[in-house]
Amino acid sequence: VLRFAKARDPFAVKIKNQAESLLREAFPGAEVLVVIKEGGAAPRPEPKLKTTTGGIARVIAVASGKGGVGKSTVTANLAVTLRDMGYSVGILDADIYGPSMPKMFGVEGYTPQAILRDEQEYILPAETGGIKIASIGFFISPDDALIWRGPMATTALKQLLHQTLWEGLDYLL
């Protein structure tokens, strides 16, 4: 059985014919029948953790292997532009070494609150000008040095992504 997006695709028919020819050659006298089936996307597995990311329509990652190139500025401008176009927007400030979104959006003093929903605690993001913001900067003092490596940083970012109450965003940056 061969799976293709479209069974009548000329490429699918060509592959079917080649497969039948090779099988007849390898197994003389055997009855050979190759069937083409239309295949779809594999079913999505159920998430292992309860998460709020299912309601996010699109995720745009702004990244670079180098610091100081304007990732935060691009993200902030993109968020404001998308908001002005009528989309609901959230920002996940994943910069563990220098989270700047709280300062850029004037929510530096925000203290995240948690709410209980369906027996699960969720973080309420800051919201300013119609843009929701979750940042590592909300959980650390600006005077403290943050020395997180590998698993600690990954766990914190996963929590920020999956346990923030995003509530149906068009875009998460």
Side-chain angles (χ1 to χ4, degrees):
V1 177
L2 301 171
R3 291 195 183 271
F4 288 89
K6 296 186 183 208
R8 297 182 198 269
D9 179 350
F11 181 69
V13 174
K14 182 178 177 183
I15 296 291
K16 174 191 180 291
N17 292 338
Q18 287 177 347
E20 284 178 343
S21 175
L22 290 169
L23 288 169
R24 282 193 188 103
E25 191 179 302
F27 303 100
E31 187 177 323
V32 174
L33 174 65
V34 175
V35 178
I36 299 175
K37 288 192 175 183
E38 289 191 15
R44 289 178 70 179
E46 286 297 315
K48 293 177 186 168
L49 301 171
K50 278 195 160 196
T51 179
T52 61
T53 56
I56 298 171
R58 296 166 201 88
V59 175
I60 298 175
V62 179
S64 170
K66 183 178 181 332
V69 294
K71 298 177 292 290
S72 295
T73 303
V74 167
T75 301
N77 285 319
L78 188 55
V80 170
T81 301
L82 289 167
R83 182 218 42 211
D84 290 349
M85 292 171 67
Y87 294 106
S88 58
V89 180
I91 295 174
L92 172 63
D93 186 4
D95 190 343
I96 61 170
Y97 299 112
S100 58
M101 287 301 159
K103 180 174 247 165
M104 293 178 92
F105 282 92
V107 290
E108 290 171 281
Y110 180 75
T111 302
Q113 304 297 311
I115 65 165
L116 193 62
R117 197 179 272 183
D118 300 326
E119 299 180 26
Q120 174 80 26
E121 277 192 66
Y122 293 102
I123 302 164
L124 292 175
E127 190 163 348
T128 181
I131 297 172
K132 294 179 180 180
I133 301 169
S135 174
I136 293 283
F138 297 146
F139 299 95
I140 59 171
S141 168
D143 301 328
D144 292 342
L146 187 62
I147 305 172
W148 284 357
R149 299 268 187 261
M152 281 181 75
T154 301
T155 301
L157 292 176
K158 278 183 183 177
Q159 267 191 299
L160 217 53
L161 175 63
H162 295 294
Q163 290 181 309
T164 297
L165 196 58
W166 294 112
E167 294 189 310
L169 295 177
D170 294 316
Y171 289 95
L172 178 65
L173 309 174

